[in-house]
């Protein structure tokens, strides 16, 4: 067995108050199972050259954190990663701002990552790189002589070539992906989109009948590895948290009203503006619900230095204010909108208390909250998931009420259907989704990806190593 080395832009050190996003939740679950090294940016910026990585060891996992130069970080992270790749990969061209200096900073930061990681690598390592911030990393490591298996998992959607080629450096990006041994996507759609790019750049022959991609002397396995959740852990958290003070105070405050929950990072891809309109539409169309439902939307701020995120925040504050101003009563607030973090377990308690889970991103790689909502439910009296058909999770959770998030009237209608759904139907839909979640949980995601990397080591990497005389 190889030692697993995970690399991601940001590392979340195990602090009590840490509120990791989806990527960190996935990596941490993987490393807790296998042990190994997690390498990435520690959250600090410096004026001069960053020094050697800081090392922390907890529960069998070694955390190695590097600092980044302030200016470079702004250009690489706020700029190229979050104002170019994030909007483009989520099909939001309106939010994209391309600047070639930022592209250079992206390359430089990846080079810094590669050069700081290199001395830490051991002969039996398998390297697993996560997400769009680090696409060039394998190429740079290869240039520095690394022959070990390197895999890449994209947590967000991959755009079809017609969208991707808006990016001036799209060919370099596709080339960079072929420096990996394994490239993993969340869904078949993403894999198809990747194939469209490979075909465009290298010709249809590059995609072999067994699905492998052959470019020059490199063979890449591109495949689908949908990320899952730790079903048992979510259930345990939810069951414990439902009796905690904080969740009880929340449920007491409902005074018998039905609870609808949304939990998302505050991001324009999560469809919150459209979701607030859908809720307003629902209250207008089904006025019997006035005073009988409370919608709690938890949306901690993220990427506050990026312009589009400042704008979305303002729009949401206005939308929540409008709905509450119009419909609230002296003893009822229709939307409780909170920009703060909660411990993961508390969130799972909130989800368990909800009759309806509203997960309506305009585009999402997977969306773990949808899966967590299902896992957190009481199977004897489960709540109903309303899920965007543009989230990766919709490929697996097709027993949810699937909606187009732009169709605010349809989403309003789905809220009404969810609230009035008979118990037998709720149980049946929930049981079907639980089967999917259990079959493809976080452990099987990790296992499948790590096995794919290990297989590389046994076949292609060895063949290449012999061929190259290494
Ligand atoms: P994200 O865009 O961060 O992830 P998501 O998949 O929903 O989105 O994961 C969010 C995670 O953070 C969940 O585990 C959730 O419980 C947690 N979380 C959210 N709000 C929180 C809060 N206020 N306090 C504490 N925890 C909170 C990216 C991609 C997704 C993909 C994941 C994993 O954008 O499409 O599913 O990576 O691959």
């Amino acid at each position: 067995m190889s030692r697993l080395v995970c690399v991601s832009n940001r590392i979340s050190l195990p602090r009590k108050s840490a509120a990791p996003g989806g990527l960190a939740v996935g990596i941490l679950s993987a490393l807790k199972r296998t042990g190994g090294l997690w390498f990435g940016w520690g959250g600090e910026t410096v004026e001069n050259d960053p020094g050697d990585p800081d090392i922390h060891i907890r529960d069998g996992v070694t955390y190695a954190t590097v600092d980044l130069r302030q200016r470079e970080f702004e250009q690489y992270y706020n700029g190229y990663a979050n104002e170019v790749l994030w909007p483009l990969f989520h099909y939001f061209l309106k939010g994209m701002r391309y600047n070639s200096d930022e592209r250079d900073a992206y390359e430089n930061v990846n080079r810094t990552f590669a050069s700081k990681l290199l001395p830490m690598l051991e002969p039996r390592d398998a390297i697993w790189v996560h997400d769009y911030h680090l696409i060039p990393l394998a190429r740079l490591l290869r240039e520095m002589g690394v022959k070990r298996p390197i895999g890449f998992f994209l947590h967000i959607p991959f755009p079809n070539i017609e969208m991707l080629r808006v990016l001036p450096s799209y060919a370099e990006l596709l080339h960079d992906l072929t420096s990996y041994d394994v490239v993993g996507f969340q869904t078949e759609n993403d894999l198809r989109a990747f194939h469209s790019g490979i075909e465009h750049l290298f010709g249809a022959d590059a995609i072999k009948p067994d699905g492998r991609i052959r470019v020059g002397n490199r063979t890449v396995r591109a495949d689908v590895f949908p990320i899952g959740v730790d079903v048992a852990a979510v259930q345990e958290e939810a069951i414990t948290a439902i009796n905690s003070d904080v969740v009880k105070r929340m449920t007491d405050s409902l005074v018998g009203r039905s609870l609808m929950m949304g939990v998302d990072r505050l991001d324009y891809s999560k469809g919150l503006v459209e979701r607030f309109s859908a809720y307003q539409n629902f209250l207008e169309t089904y006025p019997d619900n006035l005073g009988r439902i409370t919608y709690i939307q938890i949306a901690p701020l993220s990427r506050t230095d990026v312009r589009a995120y400042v704008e979305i925040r303002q729009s949401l504050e206005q939308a929540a204010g409008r709905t509450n101003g119009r419909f609230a009563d002296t003893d009822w607030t229709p939307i409780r909108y909170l920009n703060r973090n909660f411990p993961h377990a508390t969130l799972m308690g909130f989800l368990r208390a909800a009759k309806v889970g509203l997960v309506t991103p305009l585009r999402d790689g997977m969306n773990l909250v949808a899966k967590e909502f299902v896992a957190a439910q009481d199977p004897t009296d489960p709540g109903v998931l309303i899920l965007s058909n543009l989230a990766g999770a919709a490929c697996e959770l097709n027993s949810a009420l699937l909606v187009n998030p732009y169709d605010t009237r349809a989403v309003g209608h789905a809220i009404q259907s969810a609230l009035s759904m008979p118990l037998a139907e709720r149980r049946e839909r929930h049981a079907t989704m639980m089967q999917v979640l259990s079959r493809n949980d976080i452990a099987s995601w990790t296992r499948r990806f790590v096995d794919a990397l290990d297989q590389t080591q046994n076949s292609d990497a060895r063949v290449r190593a012999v061929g190259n005389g290494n």
Side-chain angles (χ1 to χ4, degrees):
M1 257 287 281
S2 316
R3 178 181 73 151
L4 185 62
V5 175
C6 287
V7 190
S8 66
N9 163 60
R10 181 74 198 260
I11 282 195
S12 59
L13 286 168
R15 275 179 287 119
K16 261 195 168 166
S17 59
L23 176 145
V25 169
I27 297 180
L28 208 54
S29 309
L31 280 172
K32 278 191 174 153
R33 270 182 182 81
T34 58
L37 171 70
W38 187 0
F39 179 95
W41 179 54
E44 298 292 325
T45 52
V46 289
E47 287 304 321
N48 302 317
D49 272 359
D52 290 337
D54 280 338
I55 308 291
H56 313 256
I57 300 175
R58 308 260 165 87
D59 304 328
V61 179
T62 305
Y63 299 80
T65 58
V66 279
D67 298 335
L68 291 174
R69 282 202 208 90
Q70 176 64 29
R71 171 116 183 100
E72 229 166 39
F73 168 74
E74 273 163 22
Q75 293 189 314
Y76 140 83
Y77 181 77
N78 292 334
Y80 197 72
N82 287 326
E83 287 202 306
V84 178
L85 297 181
W86 176 273
L88 180 71
F89 281 33
H90 286 85
Y91 290 75
F92 286 106
L93 279 187
K94 205 174 141 248
M96 181 174 148
R97 300 266 175 285
Y98 186 83
N99 171 329
S100 35
D101 290 344
E102 293 178 348
R103 165 79 181 79
D104 295 345
Y106 178 75
E107 172 81 9
N108 287 341
V109 168
N110 271 271
R111 194 177 296 282
T112 303
F113 265 57
S115 62
K116 304 275 176 196
L117 175 61
L118 190 66
M120 303 192 71
L121 293 177
E122 293 174 3
R124 287 188 324 106
D125 285 347
I127 303 160
W128 186 359
V129 179
H130 291 260
D131 236 4
Y132 58 101
H133 314 89
L134 300 174
I135 292 171
L137 195 68
R139 168 177 45 86
L140 295 163
L141 286 169
R142 300 276 182 230
E143 283 170 14
M144 294 174 189
V146 175
K147 298 275 188 300
R148 300 297 305 158
I150 313 181
F152 176 79
F153 183 76
L154 184 68
H155 289 256
I156 66 174
F158 193 83
N160 187 279
I161 184 62
E162 277 314 305
M163 181 59 75
L164 184 65
R165 70 197 186 91
V166 167
L167 185 70
S169 51
Y170 79 93
E172 286 88 341
L173 184 146
L174 285 166
H175 261 290
D176 281 352
L177 286 171
T178 65
S179 292
Y180 290 92
D181 297 292
V182 180
V183 177
F185 299 98
Q186 300 274 25
T187 68
E188 291 287 344
N189 283 341
D190 302 311
L191 178 62
R192 264 197 300 276
F194 178 59
H195 281 166
S196 74
I198 292 293
E199 204 175 314
H200 171 90
L201 196 62
F202 304 109
D205 288 356
I207 305 168
K208 301 296 164 202
D210 67 356
R212 279 169 199 263
I213 289 163
R214 185 86 191 158
V215 174
N217 65 350
R218 294 207 52 82
T219 303
V220 183
R221 175 176 167 192
D223 215 335
V224 178
F225 301 86
I227 193 167
V229 294
D230 186 336
V231 178
V234 168
Q235 278 171 338
E236 205 182 302
E237 281 182 340
I239 291 168
T240 309
I242 197 94
N243 295 314
S244 66
D245 281 353
V246 56
V247 178
K248 271 196 175 147
R249 275 206 313 278
M250 185 279 286
T251 47
D252 287 350
S253 75
L254 298 173
V255 287
R257 296 183 176 108
S258 299
L259 171 66
M260 180 163 76
M261 279 294 306
V263 177
D264 308 77
R265 265 186 317 100
L266 204 164
D267 191 298
Y268 50 85
S269 68
K270 302 293 181 185
L272 292 168
V273 172
E274 292 75 6
R275 198 181 301 176
F276 282 11
S277 301
Y279 183 56
Q280 178 161 332
N281 196 297
F282 159 78
L283 294 175
E284 279 163 4
T285 315
Y286 304 100
D288 284 357
N289 291 291
L290 294 175
R292 294 194 175 153
I293 178 170
T294 295
Y295 166 28
I296 298 184
Q297 176 63 53
I298 296 174
L301 305 180
S302 68
R303 305 174 192 168
T304 44
D305 295 337
V306 179
R307 185 193 46 81
Y309 289 73
V310 176
E311 287 172 11
I312 186 86
R313 187 175 165 190
Q314 284 167 357
S315 306
L316 284 170
E317 281 161 8
Q318 284 165 8
R322 257 197 314 274
T323 299
N324 283 339
R326 179 163 161 206
F327 294 102
D329 213 329
T330 46
D331 62 348
W332 174 57
T333 309
I335 304 185
R336 298 186 197 168
Y337 171 53
L338 289 76
N339 293 131
R340 51 167 289 200
N341 284 316
F342 286 91
H344 195 260
T346 305
L347 281 182
M348 299 306 105
F350 290 159
L351 293 180
R352 189 175 177 89
K355 290 244 174 307
V356 183
L358 199 50
V359 183
T360 55
L362 303 179
R363 189 74 62 167
D364 217 330
M366 176 55 66
N367 196 298
L368 291 180
V369 175
K371 292 189 167 183
E372 289 167 343
F373 176 82
V374 174
Q377 294 309 300
D378 173 355
T380 64
D381 186 14
V384 177
L385 175 65
I386 298 175
L387 178 61
S388 163
N389 56 16
L390 297 171
C395 299
E396 293 169 275
L397 301 181
N398 48 18
S399 292
L401 290 182
L402 294 181
V403 291
N404 180 318
Y406 291 94
D407 189 346
T408 51
R409 194 167 56 181
V411 176
H413 183 67
I415 298 173
Q416 177 66 10
S417 304
L419 289 170
S420 54
M421 188 180 287
L423 178 62
E425 184 180 347
R426 284 191 278 130
R427 280 187 179 169
E428 198 179 311
R429 285 175 183 267
H430 178 256
T432 312
M433 292 192 281
M434 280 302 283
Q435 279 174 8
V436 180
L437 292 193
S438 307
R439 207 169 41 234
N440 188 27
D441 64 359
I442 190 79
S444 78
W445 176 70
T446 307
R447 205 168 33 241
R448 284 191 59 228
F449 199 94
V450 172
D451 282 355
L453 265 180
D454 275 341
Q455 281 160 18
T456 307
Q457 182 182 349
N458 294 329
S459 54
D460 294 343
R462 200 192 300 151
V463 171
R464 261 201 317 280
V466 170
N468 293 343
N470 291 302

